[in-house]
Amino acid sequence: MKRERLTMSQALVKFLDNQYVEFDGVETKFVNGMFGIFGHGCVVGVGQALEQGGHSLKFYQGKNEQNMALAAVAYAKQMDRRAIIPCVSSIGPGATNMVTACGCATANRIPLLVLPGDTFACRQPDPVLQQAEFFDNYGRTVTDAFRGVCHYFDRIERPEQLMTACINAMRVLTDPADTGAVCLAMPQDVEGEAYDYPEHFLQKRVWHLDRRPISSSQLDRAVKLIKEAKKPIIVCGGGVRYSAAEKELLALAEKHNIPISETQAGKGIISWTHPLNLGGIGVTGGKAANVIGRDADLIIGVGTRFTDFTTASKWLFNKNRKVLGINVCPFDAFKMDAEAVIADAKEAVTAIDAALGNYKTEYTNEIAEAKAEWDAIVDDYYTKELPGGLNQTLALGIINEFMDDGDIALGSAGSLPGDMQRLFRAKDCRTYHMEYGYSNMGYEINGALGAKLAEPDKEVYTFCGDGSFLMGHSELYTSLQEGLKINVCVFDNLGWGCIENLQNNQGTDTFGTVFRARNPETGMLDGADMTVDFAKIAEGYGAKGYSIHNSDELRAALEDAKKQDKSVVFDIKVLPQTMTPGFESWWRVGVAEVSKSERVAKAYEDMQAHIKDTFDY
């Protein structure tokens, strides 16, 4: 057996450079680059392996470990989970900075490989700089924090352990059901230790993303359930996208007259103009899908995790409905007490469509009427101007109308995800990119870089609030460094408007959610508004900044930005609390059971009343 003597880091780089995936007969490279921020825990290990060459991986210089990892999450999501960018860090804070991004990846079922540096396996220099010591367990390090947010965790304490670690890492990273974040913690001494690695470990390896077929018994049960239903509704989730099952799902809906609703991850897969597409469903959904969904007698979930936002905290659907869960992941297929079909979405939908024969639902004109009413509501939000400034929904409508068909719209947290799921009209398949499994503030700008890395020929518009901008925008600088233009739309409403709205709706006065200065007279944060010039911040980085206060300035800025070849930031000053409301939905939050406020007490009573109408299991 031929062997090659390499350090652990050199073998890791060579291994990653030779990983490929095959999907529906098309073979593609799985790893093309690596994000990294070098420190003493990795610069002479993985850093040396990357620097010496002999590989095709492009190195991307991150500016914050969490943010570069969020960019990697967005890249993998935009690539439909068929390519990744691993992230390498030093030890200590550099490592733990990536924990949040791992939680984001795992919540969204997105593959992310993090390679944090770790303390010395030999323990001789301990405690080293940035090492946290645990008195109860000398072998525990801060990288153990990754265990709680990763689908697979391994610490490589000998160079030969790399082989089993890498195989298991790739097993999870390429699994359509059991995927998420993977952590290979790397003690910094082991990174530089050598081993005679067998040639077969370093050779090209192809991971086959085989489709899991539906079993005959599952097919029979699914068809029986659908044929018994008079008015079913489809909930289209992100699994439809990752399975590339959009055509098959639409064929099923059209043939049998079944309306379609969308989750955040499933939005944009089916054109918003299609007469059967009722739009977003749930807490951030629209009236059409929520009204039809409330009366449906069968909920057909395809590739959805049935989160609380999709089900309106299990309140939306009537108690007499049944649920059919079609999902390649068993954990998700059984949710909502569903009849589970554990299979690839495309395989399952195709088989079910054929087996249903001439079955038709009993809908008459309800679908068309609900859609027409909702389209008129969206038109109104997208065109109505309010006195006193620029309202958030009008600004969103102007940008939505301006964007070209292939442009990517990206978001994550705050009130904008609600506005976007309800109102945004994605013009082409796979152009709506929303991270809403973790609702990770700070994802927006960093994720835009990841999406642009995935599709450099497309314009990427990312939508974020001022709160999200302040939490994380370091990779805006990286986008300039890489010559990758992103369009950052900052909706500045002087605070965390979404949470203020939630706070007020549950009976509590505004507290700690608006950006105001400390008032020396009251001692509270109720002084003058904290105004920020985000356009100047952008210009300080070297980007193009636009200060926008009205619709005319926004339209002019959008036109000018088209001419720019570098990243731009639209500093859009919007009127607070001009986001969309909920439509026929409810979200369960932990309202105080005891309070001096009558309004809070009333909110608690309302919560208890809604809980009685939820499906409990």
Side-chain angles (χ1 to χ4, degrees):
M1 180 189 298
K2 290 185 178 180
R3 294 179 177 270
E4 185 175 359
R5 190 160 185 80
L6 299 168
T7 68
M8 185 274 280
S9 297
Q10 294 162 0
L12 172 67
V13 168
K14 192 165 186 176
F15 175 87
L16 291 174
D17 195 29
N18 279 301
Q19 302 308 298
Y20 292 76
V21 294
E22 176 270 320
F23 182 69
D24 285 351
V26 178
E27 185 180 294
T28 54
K29 202 168 187 294
F30 192 60
V31 183
N32 290 293
M34 185 178 290
F35 271 113
I37 296 178
F38 292 136
H40 67 274
C42 63
V43 69
V44 297
V46 176
Q48 185 277 333
L50 290 168
E51 184 276 333
Q52 76 172 14
H55 59 84
S56 65
L57 302 182
K58 180 181 287 188
F59 177 71
Y60 299 104
Q61 187 187 78
K63 306 303 177 294
N64 173 279
E65 291 88 354
Q66 174 179 315
N67 294 341
M68 73 181 185
L70 290 175
V73 173
Y75 173 85
K77 180 177 174 69
Q78 194 64 35
M79 295 294 288
D80 292 342
R81 308 192 300 192
R82 295 195 280 275
I84 65 169
I85 302 178
C87 299
V88 64
S89 79
S90 187
I91 76 166
T96 55
N97 276 351
M98 297 193 292
V99 170
T100 295
C102 287
C104 181
T106 294
N108 288 280
R109 312 290 201 267
I110 302 295
L112 170 68
L113 175 59
V114 294
L115 304 166
D118 212 329
T119 58
F120 278 75
C122 70
R123 300 184 181 176
Q124 293 311 299
D126 296 1
V128 296
L129 179 66
Q130 298 183 325
Q131 176 179 351
E133 296 177 280
F134 300 95
F135 304 158
D136 67 318
N137 185 340
Y138 208 92
R140 183 150 55 100
T141 77
V142 295
T143 58
D144 283 288
F146 286 97
R147 294 180 188 270
V149 291
C150 290
H151 270 251
Y152 181 78
F153 173 89
D154 207 344
R155 180 175 289 115
I156 304 166
E157 296 179 316
R158 293 177 58 89
E160 58 267 38
Q161 292 175 353
L162 178 71
M163 293 180 286
T164 52
C166 281
I167 296 301
N168 279 288
M170 285 298 300
R171 169 183 60 81
V172 173
L173 291 166
T174 59
D175 191 313
D178 180 25
T179 195
V182 170
C183 175
L184 299 183
M186 306 181 301
Q188 55 187 297
D189 52 343
V190 180
E191 285 188 47
E193 292 176 1
Y195 181 74
D196 294 322
Y197 289 94
E199 187 178 63
H200 62 79
F201 171 67
L202 302 168
Q203 289 176 340
K204 177 181 176 180
R205 190 182 302 267
V206 181
W207 298 81
H208 301 281
L209 310 184
D210 298 324
R211 294 184 180 276
R212 179 171 181 168
I214 184 173
S215 70
S216 58
S217 59
Q218 287 179 335
L219 179 59
D220 291 342
R221 293 193 295 271
V223 170
K224 181 177 183 295
L225 203 57
I226 295 174
K227 284 187 173 181
E228 290 174 349
K230 296 178 180 179
K231 293 186 175 181
I233 187 173
I234 292 170
V235 178
C236 174
V240 176
R241 170 176 178 161
Y242 303 135
S243 175
E246 56 269 22
K247 292 181 181 178
E248 289 73 19
L249 183 69
L250 189 56
L252 171 75
E254 289 176 338
K255 181 178 177 182
H256 308 290
N257 192 39
I258 306 175
I260 298 170
S261 63
E262 305 168 315
T263 70
Q264 286 281 23
K267 184 177 173 68
I269 296 172
I270 306 299
S271 173
W272 72 272
T273 61
H274 195 281
L276 289 174
N277 188 356
L278 298 176
I281 192 167
V283 177
T284 53
K287 185 177 180 181
N290 285 347
V291 168
I292 297 295
R294 185 70 178 169
D295 294 333
D297 54 2
L298 176 65
I299 314 303
I300 306 173
V302 186
T304 176
R305 299 187 300 125
F306 279 125
T307 69
D308 67 332
F309 262 60
T310 297
T311 67
S313 299
K314 298 179 183 176
W315 172 87
L316 179 62
F317 308 120
N318 69 79
K319 289 186 176 181
N320 296 319
R321 88 289 182 270
K322 295 181 179 178
V323 179
L324 176 63
I326 302 171
N327 206 299
V328 73
C329 177
F331 187 84
D332 293 325
F334 285 97
K335 287 178 178 174
M336 296 291 291
D337 199 26
E339 178 67 54
V341 171
I342 303 168
D344 171 76
K346 186 174 184 177
E347 292 279 332
V349 168
T350 301
I352 291 170
D353 183 15
L356 282 173
N358 295 323
Y359 163 80
K360 290 278 189 181
T361 66
E362 295 185 9
Y363 288 108
T364 53
N365 57 353
E366 303 100 314
I367 300 171
E369 289 178 355
K371 182 172 177 60
E373 180 189 11
W374 179 242
D375 285 347
I377 291 172
V378 175
D379 288 341
D380 185 59
Y381 273 108
Y382 264 9
T383 55
K384 182 183 290 183
E385 298 208 30
L386 298 179
L390 180 59
N391 48 303
Q392 180 164 299
T393 55
L394 174 60
L396 181 63
I398 291 171
I399 300 170
N400 192 172
E401 181 182 7
F402 177 82
M403 290 171 62
D404 291 336
D405 290 356
D407 294 349
I408 297 169
L410 186 145
S412 177
S415 60
L416 283 165
D419 287 352
M420 293 178 72
Q421 190 185 11
R422 294 184 185 110
L423 308 180
F424 197 85
R425 290 165 168 170
K427 299 179 181 179
D428 203 356
C429 186
R430 288 172 169 75
T431 59
Y432 183 86
H433 179 129
M434 183 66 65
E435 183 286 296
Y436 210 55
Y438 215 49
S439 190
N440 201 139
M441 294 183 74
Y443 178 93
E444 297 93 336
I445 296 174
N446 307 300
L449 172 64
K452 187 69 174 181
L453 283 167
E455 301 202 62
D457 294 332
K458 290 188 174 183
E459 290 278 359
V460 178
Y461 289 80
T462 188
F463 297 81
C464 71
D466 48 323
S468 276
F469 184 96
L470 293 171
M471 279 201 179
H473 59 269
S474 65
E475 305 319 308
L476 171 63
Y477 185 82
T478 307
S479 75
L480 296 164
Q481 183 180 29
E482 293 290 339
L484 295 168
K485 179 191 175 188
I486 59 175
N487 300 276
V488 180
C489 305
V490 181
F491 286 65
D492 183 2
N493 59 7
L494 294 172
W496 299 312
C498 172
I499 302 304
E500 182 194 17
N501 192 48
L502 172 64
Q503 185 179 51
N504 297 162
N505 287 342
Q506 301 305 322
T508 302
D509 292 335
T510 297
F511 178 80
T513 52
V514 175
F515 296 159
R516 294 195 179 114
R518 180 76 62 186
N519 186 335
E521 295 182 3
T522 65
M524 306 292 286
L525 294 173
D526 60 1
D529 290 338
M530 295 292 294
T531 57
V532 178
D533 191 331
F534 293 104
K536 282 189 176 180
I537 292 175
E539 291 169 356
Y541 278 129
K544 175 69 175 178
Y546 300 92
S547 295
I548 297 162
H549 300 84
N550 56 56
S551 57
D552 289 338
E553 290 178 349
L554 177 56
R555 290 187 177 93
L558 289 166
E559 289 289 352
D560 187 73
K562 273 283 190 182
K563 306 170 188 175
Q564 305 297 324
D565 59 1
K566 60 183 179 181
S567 293
V568 303
V569 173
F570 303 98
D571 182 4
I572 310 169
K573 306 303 184 184
V574 296
L575 294 169
Q577 298 194 339
T578 56
M579 69 284 286
T580 52
F583 288 90
E584 307 289 332
S585 67
W586 173 69
W587 187 34
R588 181 175 177 175
V589 292
V591 182
E593 185 173 358
V594 179
S595 173
K596 296 177 181 178
S597 167
E598 292 183 4
R599 291 191 297 119
V600 173
K602 177 61 168 60
Y604 181 79
E605 290 178 7
D606 290 344
M607 180 184 74
Q608 293 302 314
H610 278 91
I611 288 174
K612 291 179 180 179
D613 290 331
T614 61
F615 185 73
D616 210 6
Y617 62 90

